[in-house]
Amino acid sequence: MFRRLHEPSEQSVSIDFEGEIIIVEAGETVAAAILAAGAEYSRTTPVTGAKRLPYCMMGACFDCLVEIDGIPNRQACMVRVENGMKIRRQEGKRRLET
Amino acid sequence: MHSAETIVVGGGMFGAAVAYGLVRDGVNTIMLDGSDGSLRAARGNFGLVWVQSKGLGLQRYADWSRESAHLWGDFAADLKDSAGIDVNHQNGGGLNILLSEEERENCRRSIDIMRQQAGADGYDCEIIERDDIQKMVPGLRVGDGVAGASFGPHDGHVNPLKLLRSLHRGFTELGGRYFPSNEVSKITHDGSAFVAESSSSRFTAPKIVLACGHGITNLAPMVGLNTPIRPQRGQVLVTERIEAIVEMALGSIRQTDEGGFMFGNSEEETGLDDGTTLPVTQNIAARAVKAFPQMENLRLVRNWGCIRILTPDKCAIYDESETMPGAYVATSHSGVTLAAVNARHISRWVATGETQPNFDHFSARRFNVPAAA
């Protein structure tokens, strides 16, 4: 659905999205990587469970929430990819451990 | 020139509640509001329907707040009918968490004074211990630094943004005319009616209600009213949304119906500056974590400053002008708590002159007592 407008640079990193290793461009955001990888969705909404992908790409809409390296509810558009990063979908609301 | 039976100046919690009540009673009403650049007290509310701390020194105000809390359930249902919006009213009581022995002692003293002041009417608030707090909030772990809490059975909370929206929608659905971007700069009386002027329009009505927050300071003298209010800043923090773990309002901590936690308990005398500062933000967050340690793991997503409208005794002012009858003022920082009485009783007072018992206690004339020699 999405393609990069430029040739991929030589610098790439690998990240783990839902157990699948994907090669992405160094320096891009987790949200851009998820879109480029063609993911079906990256979170489900807390109220209706609707599937969502990153939308505004600028920190405003919170539609790109994912779990990054075990920390839930992170805005994928505000975080740059790092080698070995583990990304999981944010399924509904976060649970808070006591 | 636009004309009506009543003009309400101000589209915030007070103005919109009174205006909503007026159109509900069939009064032809115009509501005049500021613009996005205006100081917007009603956009920054915390959302408490709060009784336990209200009315120290003015028992009529304690009763008024409690009455409003009791009317709130019906009021929320009424708003849902008129506006189709559920404002998520919760009224299961409220806890004010005390974080030191000093806070506990101050709270105990206030409760004693409120009890004496209330007399036969009673004052329903008591200090409870950690074990009982824990039972009331099973989804949270009470921190070791908690020295107790005061529990008020009449307290609750509501979504303040949905409340403001429902008041506005209800007002227009019922035929009220709303004029945004019409900040009133001048009010005169032409012999038969008041005339309110903004930079773009003129409005006329035989009655006018000033409910425009700090805008009152400039406008009240134009209609012969003396309304002493001052600004006080509160800062609010909001976290990421998580699963619902606490329904009860916890004073300066509450979980919204959407899942985010709000924290806020600051009081700063900073004029009309509605900014935020790091030390205050840190202190608010530290208090929340001290009360409930698991808050430490929550991500903050936003914080803001908001300017309260404070009267000298922190109790509401309701007045009709003696020199220019038909001009009213209604103001307080407790616009959410008082929305129910404002929509029911204050609109009726404006429309018909019918007052509630001891209503004159709310006049700003209470501040004119000469100091003892």
Side-chain angles (χ1 to χ4, degrees):
Chain A
M1 188 157 78
F2 290 96
R3 63 177 176 82
R4 293 191 173 83
L5 293 173
H6 57 278
E7 294 298 315
S9 71
E10 288 178 7
Q11 287 191 312
S12 62
V13 298
S14 75
I15 63 172
D16 168 345
F17 179 70
E18 288 290 329
E20 188 182 335
I21 303 300
I22 52 178
I23 307 300
V24 303
E25 194 164 324
E28 70 184 356
T29 65
V30 173
I34 288 171
L35 291 176
E40 184 199 356
Y41 69 103
S42 51
R43 74 155 182 146
T44 57
T45 61
V47 177
T48 65
K51 293 173 180 176
R52 296 293 172 86
L53 278 169
Y55 178 61
C56 78
M57 303 297 278
M58 61 181 197
C61 78
F62 288 76
D63 249 339
C64 65
L65 295 178
V66 290
E67 181 184 306
I68 300 177
D69 291 335
I71 302 176
N73 265 352
R74 297 193 70 183
Q75 289 172 275
C77 73
M78 304 302 283
V79 180
R80 289 184 197 278
V81 291
E82 283 172 30
N83 213 21
M85 222 174 213
K86 282 191 172 53
I87 317 293
R88 296 289 177 268
R89 293 186 172 112
Q90 178 68 43
E91 302 280 359
K93 278 182 183 170
R94 174 184 176 180
R95 276 158 201 84
L96 191 65
E97 55 290 340
T98 52
Chain B
M1 181 118 81
H2 304 278
S3 67
E5 289 174 87
T6 301
I7 295 168
V8 176
V9 183
M13 287 299 177
F14 256 69
V18 174
Y20 171 77
L22 283 165
V23 292
R24 214 166 172 327
D25 284 349
V27 179
N28 181 345
T29 304
I30 284 172
M31 172 162 55
L32 303 179
D33 205 354
S35 50
D36 286 347
S38 305
L39 202 62
R40 298 280 213 184
R43 304 301 195 279
N45 289 77
F46 198 74
L48 295 177
V49 177
W50 210 243
V51 178
Q52 63 169 276
S53 60
K54 303 288 174 62
L56 194 65
L58 186 62
Q59 182 56 31
R60 186 67 187 87
Y61 186 61
D63 296 338
W64 187 245
S65 300
R66 187 167 56 183
E67 180 181 0
S68 198
H70 286 175
L71 291 173
W72 240 109
D74 285 347
F75 180 54
D78 176 55
L79 283 174
K80 198 166 184 182
D81 276 352
S82 315
I85 295 170
D86 182 353
V87 298
N88 297 103
H89 173 237
Q90 302 281 350
N91 63 348
L95 285 173
N96 176 40
I97 307 293
L98 305 165
L99 292 179
S100 67
E101 286 306 319
E102 188 191 352
E103 285 184 20
R104 186 181 164 120
E105 179 56 19
N106 289 339
C107 181
R108 190 193 60 74
R109 272 195 216 126
S110 300
I111 290 175
D112 283 350
I113 296 169
M114 290 292 286
R115 276 218 182 98
Q116 286 177 18
Q117 179 186 300
D121 292 342
Y123 171 64
D124 305 314
C125 182
E126 56 180 349
I127 291 183
I128 64 170
E129 307 301 332
R130 295 172 44 90
D131 289 353
D132 293 319
I133 301 170
Q134 187 62 75
K135 279 177 204 147
M136 286 184 176
V137 291
L140 291 169
R141 181 165 60 80
V142 178
D144 296 337
V146 172
S150 55
F151 173 71
H154 308 296
D155 297 326
H157 57 140
V158 69
N159 183 315
L161 294 174
K162 288 180 182 170
L163 169 59
L164 187 63
R165 185 164 142 73
S166 67
L167 290 170
H168 276 248
R169 184 182 279 181
F171 174 76
T172 50
E173 288 287 319
L174 293 168
R177 283 170 291 156
Y178 174 65
F179 294 85
S181 304
N182 273 278
E183 198 160 311
V184 174
S185 54
K186 191 178 171 192
I187 302 172
T188 52
H189 197 281
D190 67 5
S192 60
F194 291 96
V195 178
E197 295 177 39
S198 71
S199 59
S200 58
S201 299
R202 286 153 58 86
F203 306 86
T204 185
K207 289 181 179 176
I208 189 164
V209 182
L210 305 185
C212 48
H214 289 293
I216 289 170
T217 302
N218 285 332
L219 298 180
M222 297 179 193
V223 292
L225 285 164
N226 172 31
T227 310
I229 49 176
R230 73 168 206 277
Q232 183 192 63
R233 183 167 71 188
Q235 296 188 37
V236 179
L237 281 52
V238 65
T239 74
E240 61 181 307
R241 295 170 179 187
I242 64 163
E243 63 176 337
I245 53 175
V246 56
E247 205 169 272
M248 184 179 280
L250 308 169
S252 58
I253 300 172
R254 74 178 196 94
Q255 188 175 22
T256 72
D257 53 299
E258 288 140 345
F261 271 87
M262 292 174 75
F263 309 134
N265 51 274
S266 63
E267 297 181 348
E268 297 174 276
E269 308 299 320
T270 48
L272 298 179
D273 174 1
D274 64 356
T276 59
T277 62
L278 191 56
V280 171
T281 300
Q282 286 171 328
N283 185 51
I284 292 170
R287 286 184 63 87
V289 170
K290 189 173 178 184
F292 302 106
Q294 76 225 79
M295 299 293 163
E296 187 176 35
N297 297 317
L298 285 178
R299 182 183 312 282
L300 288 182
V301 293
R302 205 162 285 133
N303 65 331
W304 63 85
C306 191
I307 307 298
R308 296 186 185 91
I309 295 103
L310 228 50
T311 67
D313 59 4
K314 299 189 176 184
C315 303
I317 293 174
Y318 299 103
D319 256 330
E320 180 178 5
S321 173
E322 289 179 326
T323 54
M324 298 173 76
Y328 304 81
V329 68
T331 191
S332 153
H333 68 289
S334 297
V336 174
T337 302
L338 300 179
V341 279
N342 285 341
R344 178 178 292 197
H345 295 320
I346 296 307
S347 55
R348 198 153 300 162
W349 168 54
V350 170
T352 69
E354 178 191 330
T355 55
Q356 297 297 301
N358 293 322
F359 193 70
D360 59 325
H361 291 200
F362 293 122
S363 169
R365 289 189 295 277
R366 67 183 184 266
F367 305 117
N368 298 343
V369 180

